[in-house]
Amino acid sequence: MLKVAVVGASGYTGVELIRILHNHPEASVTAVTSEQSAGKSISELFPSLKGRCDLTLENLDPDKISEKADIIFTALPHKAAMGVVPAFLSAGKKVIDLSADYRLKNASEYEKLYQQPHLSSNLLDKAVYGLPELKRDKVAVADLVANPGCYPTSIILALAPLLKEKLVNISTIIADSKSGVSGAGRSLKVDNLYCEINEGFKAYGVGGTHRHIGEIEQELSLLAEKDIKISFTPHLVPMNRGILSTIYLESTVALESGRLLDMYEEFYSEEPFVRVLAKGEFPSTAFVRGSNFCDIAVTIDKRTGRIILVSAIDNLVKGASGQAVQNMNIISGFPENMGLEMLPVYP
């Protein structure tokens, strides 16, 4: 049985990891940490876990945690993970980091976006960007996996087939994304209070200022083998979880909807968690909630000639913890879908 530690278990991604791993036949959560709630049972913080995971939350001591686990999930805030990940790697542990600390390959880009020098920039080249559908072989041999962000997952998976085939006018990409409130984390913020969110719908990070744009452009540029800049605007929707991304772009060749759909179906034909929808069908966050699926629809606006891509994920599952478990399965040699076959919760 694979022993797993969840470092930073008191946040939404932490409890989602525990929920998913509880049903994993080959993995067991053996340690959970929280600096603010050390000494309490994890089920005190999250009554949903009562009787299924009642581990006591510990202070973060990398040496002690390393003794209890084979693989470490670091579900810490951005800028905190890089302070402890090197210690886990030095102890010979595999690390899957759910923060943004190892996603960017350029340390100066990280400093610009996160307003802090990187404390272990020597590990940036070692870290593998953990989008399994595109990086599976590298993930399999990685010691450190940088789990992708939620917005980037929804956008990169939607664009990958077109970029790989070099069919995109890369100067025309516009990504318009909407996210549930859980994407902002569990810490207390005025902007996330009920009265601030309920009955509202707003854009934020407008004008290329959202931190995720760095990893989005990094990975899209790798796919296209050219530097790409996109227009990306995220929005906050008054729902708990889910991301819907609508992406507009122009092709460099004449394409029909049928050919476009065939291309996507072929590209993702062997992928267990990407569902390409039939012509005329479009994703909804309601149909992926609680699952590790990414649903993608492709069409062409005949009036303008623009390609329109729509993708939907659960930001806490395929956009975070589910994808992290998918990466764990690859690293450990388990079937990739092990413990992740839960169907979406509906309604």
Side-chain angles (χ1 to χ4, degrees):
M1 184 70 70
L2 186 72
K3 295 183 290 185
V4 172
V6 178
V7 173
S10 59
Y12 291 134
T13 55
V15 69
E16 194 72 351
L17 275 168
I18 295 168
R19 180 183 77 87
I20 294 168
L21 290 166
H22 173 70
N23 290 318
H24 196 289
E26 297 291 344
S28 176
V29 179
T30 54
V32 290
T33 80
S34 171
E35 298 303 294
Q36 294 182 335
S37 302
K40 294 182 178 179
S41 164
I42 185 69
S43 57
E44 288 183 59
L45 266 63
F46 300 107
S48 59
L49 302 177
K50 192 170 184 64
R52 295 297 180 266
C53 183
D54 297 304
L55 289 170
T56 299
L57 291 157
E58 307 176 43
N59 286 310
L60 177 50
D61 183 327
D63 292 334
K64 290 182 179 179
I65 299 301
S66 294
E67 291 175 0
K68 298 181 178 183
D70 306 307
I71 285 187
I72 314 294
F73 290 100
T74 46
L76 295 167
H78 311 313
K79 302 188 280 190
M82 60 183 171
V84 299
V85 165
F88 289 124
L89 294 174
S90 295
K93 304 302 172 181
K94 304 275 190 179
V95 178
I96 299 170
D97 178 37
L98 283 81
S99 82
D101 285 0
Y102 295 97
R103 296 173 189 161
L104 295 167
K105 295 302 181 184
N106 187 315
S108 61
E109 180 74 3
Y110 178 90
E111 183 173 350
K112 180 177 75 175
L113 290 170
Y114 292 90
Q115 290 82 54
Q116 179 173 315
H118 204 287
L119 301 179
S120 51
S121 57
N122 59 304
L123 294 176
L124 293 178
D125 285 337
K126 180 185 179 71
V128 173
Y129 191 78
L131 196 57
E133 291 77 11
L134 303 178
K135 311 273 188 173
R136 185 172 285 111
D137 292 343
K138 292 183 178 180
V139 169
V141 295
D143 293 322
L144 172 59
V145 172
N147 213 59
C150 48
Y151 284 127
T153 295
S154 69
I155 293 169
I156 296 167
L157 287 177
L159 281 165
L162 281 165
L163 289 174
K164 287 280 253 183
E165 293 296 325
K166 309 292 190 294
L167 297 176
V168 173
N169 180 342
I170 60 173
S171 67
T172 66
I173 301 173
I174 299 170
D176 182 287
S177 300
K178 285 89 174 173
S179 174
V181 185
S182 60
R186 198 169 183 243
S187 59
L188 181 62
K189 302 170 186 174
V190 171
D191 285 350
N192 295 339
L193 295 174
Y194 178 82
C195 289
E196 304 293 326
I197 297 297
N198 188 46
E199 302 295 337
F201 177 27
K202 67 177 182 179
Y204 68 104
V206 180
T209 61
H210 193 280
R211 289 170 170 178
H212 279 175
I213 200 164
E215 64 179 282
I216 294 170
E217 292 182 343
Q218 171 184 278
E219 296 303 314
L220 295 183
S221 297
L222 289 171
L223 284 166
E225 300 179 323
K226 293 180 180 178
D227 286 341
I228 287 182
K229 292 191 182 300
I230 71 168
S231 294
F232 167 55
T233 304
H235 301 74
L236 195 62
V237 180
M239 62 184 184
N240 289 341
R241 54 166 83 201
I243 283 180
L244 187 81
S245 289
T246 305
I247 302 160
Y248 307 88
L249 65 155
E250 294 176 359
S251 174
T252 53
V253 299
L255 279 176
E256 294 183 353
S257 293
R259 181 186 168 194
L260 186 62
L261 182 59
D262 289 345
M263 180 194 310
Y264 271 73
E265 289 177 340
E266 181 178 354
F267 190 90
Y268 286 120
S269 61
E270 301 298 321
E271 295 301 335
F273 298 116
V274 178
R275 304 190 296 192
V276 178
L277 304 188
K279 182 179 179 180
E281 294 181 358
F282 293 93
S284 167
T285 57
F287 301 142
V288 295
R289 186 186 300 120
S291 79
N292 201 51
F293 290 123
C294 174
D295 285 358
I296 300 175
V298 298
T299 193
I300 295 175
D301 181 342
K302 293 181 180 179
R303 293 173 57 257
T304 64
R306 292 191 186 94
I307 295 172
I308 301 174
L309 312 172
V310 185
S311 68
I313 62 171
D314 184 319
N315 59 293
L316 293 179
V317 189
K318 184 57 176 169
S321 302
Q323 187 147 255
V325 173
Q326 191 177 351
N327 282 317
M328 180 198 78
N329 285 339
I330 295 169
I331 289 173
S332 305
F334 301 146
E336 195 167 322
N337 59 350
M338 184 175 280
L340 290 168
E341 288 284 32
M342 59 277 190
L343 293 176
V345 177
Y346 184 83

